[in-house]
């Protein structure tokens, strides 16, 4: 399997799921409570929901740009700063959904002419604090890009659940429902 065939649909599916969770949240708590919801945290030393959304977007873009071998655009730095300041400026649910939509569009655009990277090619992955990981491209995609992306997606899901938003497994794997055999749904009527 190509790395781009793994990352691109994963980013798009899960970002779209995140956007749908925010829609559910807005429907349940109302638009006026959206900012309060975006300021919610799982623990005092963790970033709030607004940051988790933005960081999920950053991780998706980072993965795409790194696999393309391209420098990050200035907009990514802006998104990262927004995320870091999410506790003081959580924004609105509409703004969070707009960021997700922009990211999905960017991931789709970046994937259109992407050349598959050599899976074993060395990649130095430097963190903002100066730590550097020496990885192969496949290792980066598997062990860092997907892991970090899912960390922020799952933390956002957990915050929403903690705040009382009625989400379930079907919301998490909504992209799988198109593959479900209708007759296997518990309680489904079977024709005789």
């Amino acid at each position: 399997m190509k790395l781009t065939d793994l990352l691109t649909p994963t980013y798009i599916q899960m970002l779209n799921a995140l956007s749908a969770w925010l829609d559910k949240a807005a429907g349940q708590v109302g638009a006026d409570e959206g900012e309060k919801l975006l300021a919610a945290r799982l623990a005092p030393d963790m970033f709030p929901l607004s940051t988790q959304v933005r960081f999920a977007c950053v991780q998706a873009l980072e993965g795409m740009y790194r696999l393309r071998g391209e420098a990050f655009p200035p907009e990514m730095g802006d998104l990262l700063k927004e995320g870091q300041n999410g506790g003081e400026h959580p924004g609105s649910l509409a703004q969070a959904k707009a960021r997700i939509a922009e990211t999905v569009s960017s991931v789709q655009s970046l994937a259109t002419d992407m050349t598959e990277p050599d899976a074993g090619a060395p990649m130095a992955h430097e963190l903002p604090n100066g730590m550097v990981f020496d990885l192969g491209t496949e290792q980066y995609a598997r062990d860092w890009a997907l892991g970090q992306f899912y960390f922020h997606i799952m933390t956002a899901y957990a915050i929403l659940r903690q705040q009382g938003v009625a989400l379930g497994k079907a919301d998490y794997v909504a992209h799988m429902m198109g593959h479900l055999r209708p007759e296997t749904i518990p309680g489904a009527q079977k024709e005789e």
Side-chain angles (χ1 to χ4, degrees):
M1 172 178 268
K2 295 179 181 179
L3 295 177
T4 52
D5 291 343
L6 174 66
L7 291 181
T8 303
T10 299
Y11 290 151
I12 292 169
Q13 289 169 172
M14 295 312 298
L15 287 169
N16 284 331
L18 178 57
S19 185
W21 305 341
L22 296 178
D23 284 337
K24 269 194 152 181
Q28 292 172 31
V29 303
D32 295 338
E33 295 295 311
E35 188 170 322
K36 189 186 305 183
L37 185 65
L38 286 166
R41 302 167 188 258
L42 279 182
D45 65 339
M46 291 182 76
F47 284 116
L49 176 60
S50 61
T51 299
Q52 302 302 333
V53 170
R54 289 172 176 130
F55 283 2
C57 292
V58 166
Q59 291 300 321
L61 293 170
E62 178 183 302
M64 297 301 289
Y65 279 105
R66 283 194 187 279
L67 290 180
R68 287 176 66 92
E70 295 178 8
F72 302 146
E75 297 81 29
M76 259 182 70
D78 296 341
L79 184 56
L80 189 59
K81 284 178 193 162
E82 278 181 24
Q84 291 165 339
N85 296 321
E88 295 82 34
H89 305 287
S92 68
L93 290 173
Q95 289 170 323
K97 285 183 52 63
R99 278 297 192 190
I100 294 167
E102 290 168 9
T103 302
V104 168
S105 178
S106 293
V107 167
Q108 289 169 329
S109 177
L110 289 165
T112 57
D113 65 345
M114 193 161 171
T115 304
E116 183 65 19
D118 175 7
M123 175 182 284
H125 179 60
E126 185 173 353
L127 300 182
N129 65 6
M131 293 171 44
V132 178
F133 294 92
D134 290 314
L135 306 165
T137 304
E138 183 178 324
Q139 253 185 324
Y140 165 77
R142 182 191 64 228
D143 298 339
W144 183 268
L146 283 175
Q148 293 298 312
F149 175 73
Y150 271 110
F151 175 85
H152 296 293
I153 291 288
M154 280 307 306
T155 302
Y157 180 89
I159 291 170
L160 289 166
R161 288 293 310 267
Q162 178 196 49
Q163 294 300 306
V165 177
L167 295 173
K169 189 69 166 248
D171 296 297
Y172 185 76
V173 293
H175 58 279
M176 294 300 296
M177 294 305 146
H179 305 287
L180 180 63
R181 293 181 187 175
E183 68 275 8
T184 66
I185 299 171
Q189 295 287 337
K190 296 189 182 206
E191 292 186 30
E192 296 182 29

